[in-house]
Amino acid sequence: MTAVLNVFFLALVGLTSFALADVSNYVKSPSLFGISRGGGLFGGNKKEEGATATATTLSTFPAMSQEEVEEWLAHIPVYAVTDSNGSGVVLKPDADSNVFYFFMNPMMANQTLTTLKSANEDLDLRVSAFSLGKIWFRVLKNGDAAEVKLKKPGADDSEGESATSDVEYRLVPDTRDLLGARMLLTMDPKDNEAMQNGEVTEEVARQAIQKAMTEATKFNSTYNEVPVFMIQQMRMQKQPEEGSDEEAVTLLPMYFNLQNMVAIWQQFATQAAGAEGVEPNINLLDLFELVERMQEESEIDFRNVVLVPPAPAGSEAAVGEQTASTTGGGVQMPGATLGDV
């Protein structure tokens, strides 16, 4: 990010609390998740199982309400630069623009903080965490209509304050996951074969990245296109509380972080019955499109999908811990069986 010429503050009161999503009763369903890709990223292409649904009549489930969507997203943290009072920092790249950034990756928020501090040494700035559920409808989807008050740094309450509804709110995904999504969109069978045969030379990798950067049909924006990844065959189970007569609940996990999902699948494939040698059926969807689908009648009960927050790369244990927290504990990670989809 280039040097900031103007900085303003806006109030983000009441948006820092978190809640846990309540997930229950998974239902079998076909793929409705856009892009499907095979297992080239996993170095295996032995057999494909559980990737095709039989032709049956499926039940439909009612659309999720706004309150349900907010609760479903509530445990996902996003990060923004604020002052010590929690007022967000609005950037003005030019005289006619007001932009506020939320980041999926805290490291990217910290990089922005460093840039802002270098240009505004007298400001007391920090990175604050917000609940994605709290900001989704109130801020991200309502930004054009919501009037906010902007105030220049250092100005008194009685001066330098202006009201505007012209603030653009941007949700920024991790650049590594954005590139991963583009590569999934542009990989072809030849690319998969080269990866499976261990032929990933520096030149092959360079060409794959170049192809992803120039030929991807989606995820070409650096903001407000957030990739969500899933593997059709992978499931988790939420165990009932001790002493309860309820049965275990099967959950379908979706991931923001592609590396987290790959690591969990590799662990899953060594433990789940029948999973050895199965080629994972990777699906990819934009978060904004996913939320729109959740608010429509669907053959998928999205109330039984669990959204897994990003965890540090290479930390399967951290992913499992975050997933257990997401679903309220009692989650077996990875799942016990292949998904029947």
Side-chain angles (χ1 to χ4, degrees), residues 66-86:
Q66 178 174 321
E67 290 74 18
E68 287 178 307
V69 173
E70 289 176 338
E71 188 174 359
W72 189 76
L73 293 169
H75 65 284
I76 303 298
V78 293
Y79 307 89
V81 179
T82 70
D83 67 2
S84 57
N85 297 318

Side-chain angles (χ1 to χ4, degrees), residues 164-209:
T164 181
S165 58
D166 187 24
V167 175
E168 180 184 359
Y169 297 94
R170 298 178 178 179
L171 180 60
V172 181
D174 190 316
T175 53
R176 295 167 297 183
D177 295 315
L178 204 57
L179 177 60
R182 293 173 182 172
M183 292 185 71
L184 285 174
L185 288 170
T186 55
M187 287 177 64
D188 55 32
K190 182 179 178 181
D191 297 325
N192 272 342
E193 184 178 356
M195 297 183 72
Q196 292 158 9
N197 294 333
E199 301 171 358
V200 185
T201 63
E202 183 177 342
E203 178 61 20
V204 169
R206 187 192 65 79
Q207 291 178 357
I209 293 174

Side-chain angles (χ1 to χ4, degrees), residues 20-101:
L20 295 178
D22 181 23
V23 192
S24 59
N25 298 331
Y26 171 75
V27 61
K28 294 182 288 185
S29 55
S31 172
L32 296 179
F33 297 100
I35 308 301
S36 293
R37 288 292 181 267
L41 291 176
F42 300 83
N45 188 19
K46 299 178 183 177
K47 62 180 179 176
E48 191 169 344
E49 182 176 321
T52 305
T54 57
T56 58
T57 301
L58 297 170
S59 302
T60 58
F61 296 88
M64 291 178 66
S65 66
Q66 178 174 321
E67 290 74 18
E68 287 178 307
V69 173
E70 289 176 338
E71 188 174 359
W72 189 76
L73 293 169
H75 65 284
I76 303 298
V78 293
Y79 307 89
V81 179
T82 70
D83 67 2
S84 57
N85 297 318
S87 294
V89 177
V90 175
L91 308 184
K92 290 185 67 68
D94 55 62
D96 299 322
S97 301
N98 300 299
V99 182
F100 186 79
Y101 290 93

Side-chain angles (χ1 to χ4, degrees), residues 1-302:
M1 182 177 296
T2 57
V4 180
L5 299 180
N6 292 288
V7 177
F8 288 80
F9 294 118
L10 81 163
L12 292 172
V13 179
L15 296 179
T16 56
S17 59
F18 284 81
L20 295 178
D22 181 23
V23 192
S24 59
N25 298 331
Y26 171 75
V27 61
K28 294 182 288 185
S29 55
S31 172
L32 296 179
F33 297 100
I35 308 301
S36 293
R37 288 292 181 267
L41 291 176
F42 300 83
N45 188 19
K46 299 178 183 177
K47 62 180 179 176
E48 191 169 344
E49 182 176 321
T52 305
T54 57
T56 58
T57 301
L58 297 170
S59 302
T60 58
F61 296 88
M64 291 178 66
S65 66
Q66 178 174 321
E67 290 74 18
E68 287 178 307
V69 173
E70 289 176 338
E71 188 174 359
W72 189 76
L73 293 169
H75 65 284
I76 303 298
V78 293
Y79 307 89
V81 179
T82 70
D83 67 2
S84 57
N85 297 318
S87 294
V89 177
V90 175
L91 308 184
K92 290 185 67 68
D94 55 62
D96 299 322
S97 301
N98 300 299
V99 182
F100 186 79
Y101 290 93
F102 291 102
F103 297 91
M104 299 297 300
N105 186 335
M107 296 300 295
M108 296 177 67
N110 276 315
Q111 291 170 358
T112 301
L113 174 64
T114 300
T115 301
L116 288 172
K117 281 188 171 182
S118 66
N120 303 272
E121 297 180 357
D122 57 330
L123 298 183
D124 182 15
L125 303 178
R126 62 192 62 189
V127 171
S128 299
F130 298 86
S131 163
L132 184 58
K134 294 284 188 180
I135 70 166
W136 188 267
F137 293 104
R138 293 174 59 184
V139 179
L140 290 174
K141 303 299 290 184
N142 194 42
D144 294 340
E147 185 174 88
V148 296
K149 291 184 177 180
L150 300 181
K151 184 174 67 173
K152 287 188 176 182
D156 295 334
D157 292 340
S158 59
E159 62 181 22
E161 191 175 271
S162 61
T164 181
S165 58
D166 187 24
V167 175
E168 180 184 359
Y169 297 94
R170 298 178 178 179
L171 180 60
V172 181
D174 190 316
T175 53
R176 295 167 297 183
D177 295 315
L178 204 57
L179 177 60
R182 293 173 182 172
M183 292 185 71
L184 285 174
L185 288 170
T186 55
M187 287 177 64
D188 55 32
K190 182 179 178 181
D191 297 325
N192 272 342
E193 184 178 356
M195 297 183 72
Q196 292 158 9
N197 294 333
E199 301 171 358
V200 185
T201 63
E202 183 177 342
E203 178 61 20
V204 169
R206 187 192 65 79
Q207 291 178 357
I209 293 174
Q210 179 65 21
K211 186 177 181 181
M213 298 301 292
T214 57
E215 298 182 18
T217 55
K218 291 185 65 176
F219 301 106
N220 291 311
S221 174
T222 57
Y223 59 89
N224 291 354
E225 279 191 304
V226 180
V228 178
F229 307 92
M230 61 167 283
I231 293 177
Q232 288 274 49
Q233 302 101 315
M234 191 160 63
R235 296 294 183 273
M236 302 181 302
Q237 283 191 335
K238 181 180 180 182
Q239 300 299 321
E241 296 182 3
E242 188 175 351
S244 172
D245 294 331
E246 296 180 359
E247 296 183 355
V249 177
T250 304
L251 308 175
L252 174 63
M254 294 185 179
Y255 296 82
F256 284 111
N257 187 284
L258 180 59
Q259 285 185 309
N260 290 166
M261 186 182 72
V262 170
I264 289 297
W265 170 262
Q266 291 171 337
Q267 181 185 356
F268 169 86
T270 64
Q271 298 179 11
E276 185 178 358
V278 173
E279 179 179 346
N281 184 11
I282 304 172
N283 280 251
L284 171 66
L285 192 70
D286 172 46
L287 177 64
F288 286 81
E289 294 178 358
L290 175 60
V291 171
E292 288 182 2
R293 293 189 183 192
M294 293 171 68
Q295 297 176 87
E296 300 171 354
E297 188 177 84
S298 174
E299 293 175 346
I300 292 177
D301 188 356
F302 287 105

